[in-house]
Amino acid sequence: MYSLNSEIVASTTKEWLAKRGVTISQIAELVIFLQKSYFPELTLEECEQHIEAVLSKREVQNAVLTGIQLDMLAEEGKLLAPLQDMIENDEGLYGCDEILALSIVNVYGSIGFTNFGYVDKLKPGILKVLNDKEGEQCHTFLDDIVGAIAASASSRIAHRKQAEREGSMGPPID
């Protein structure tokens, strides 16, 4: 009977992000960017805790691993045409990268969607680096995935802070 160890999936997700040049602190900087005007006291450490919670979800891990694998296959020229060209060149009309990222923010509600759209448009911080098409690595999926992780952590923070203001944690949005 098939059984995959969840700890292996979780650790591989973090390992692959790191190998592709993305750190938790870089994602935390995006969360600060998204939330600083709402929660000026927010710290990088707090953001990192929320990112870790987002990354602990299997749906998120699945999207990260799938997107990174597709980027890597495109780098190696192992996809069939025309998909190879679309992913390798981050074709403007190819929206599957955003759809995969939206599967992450979908877990965290409408605030996640609006935050994702905002950082996807502006490309601050690590997103600018990932979106730069000058290097040998392809990040067609990864830039959107990282933006989605940051947007999801931002949504999680907004929901938690609202519950704190109301004096009850209520049912948490994980």
Side-chain angles (χ1 to χ4, degrees):
M1 174 184 265
Y2 172 78
S3 177
L4 183 60
N5 184 312
S6 292
E7 290 178 19
I8 292 172
V9 177
S11 65
T12 301
T13 299
K14 290 179 184 180
E15 178 185 321
W16 284 17
L17 283 169
K19 282 184 178 178
R20 300 300 285 182
V22 177
T23 67
I24 300 300
S25 64
Q26 289 169 320
I27 301 173
E29 290 172 11
L30 293 173
V31 176
I32 291 284
F33 173 81
L34 288 167
Q35 294 297 304
K36 66 183 173 193
S37 62
Y38 304 104
F39 309 110
E41 75 288 351
L42 192 62
T43 66
L44 282 174
E45 293 79 23
E46 187 177 0
C47 294
E48 289 174 0
Q49 291 171 356
H50 287 277
I51 292 162
E52 293 288 350
V54 169
L55 289 173
S56 73
K57 299 191 83 50
R58 180 61 78 91
E59 300 97 318
V60 174
Q61 296 162 0
N62 292 342
V64 171
L65 295 175
T66 300
I68 289 174
Q69 184 70 62
L70 286 168
D71 283 345
M72 291 169 61
L73 289 170
E75 286 170 13
E76 297 168 11
K78 291 187 176 178
L79 300 170
L80 299 176
L83 185 60
Q84 173 67 39
D85 293 330
M86 288 187 280
I87 294 176
E88 185 176 23
N89 294 292
D90 201 1
E91 165 67 40
L93 293 177
Y94 180 79
C96 295
D97 48 337
E98 281 87 5
I99 296 302
L100 185 61
L102 289 173
S103 74
I104 295 171
V105 298
N106 188 45
V107 176
Y108 291 92
S110 60
I111 295 170
F113 279 92
T114 57
N115 280 322
F116 172 71
Y118 186 66
V119 295
D120 188 47
K121 181 72 174 165
L122 294 180
K123 303 272 192 233
I126 185 64
L127 297 182
K128 182 177 180 180
V129 174
L130 293 173
N131 200 50
D132 180 4
K133 314 243 183 323
E134 298 301 315
E136 291 186 21
Q137 287 188 325
C138 174
H139 295 130
T140 297
F141 283 88
L142 187 58
D143 69 319
D144 295 310
I145 286 168
V146 169
I149 294 167
S152 296
S154 295
S155 178
R156 192 172 192 279
I157 288 167
H159 285 277
R160 299 280 169 138
K161 295 287 188 184
Q162 180 64 32
E164 287 173 16
R165 279 195 296 265
E166 293 172 359
S168 110
M169 283 305 287
I173 183 167
D174 290 331

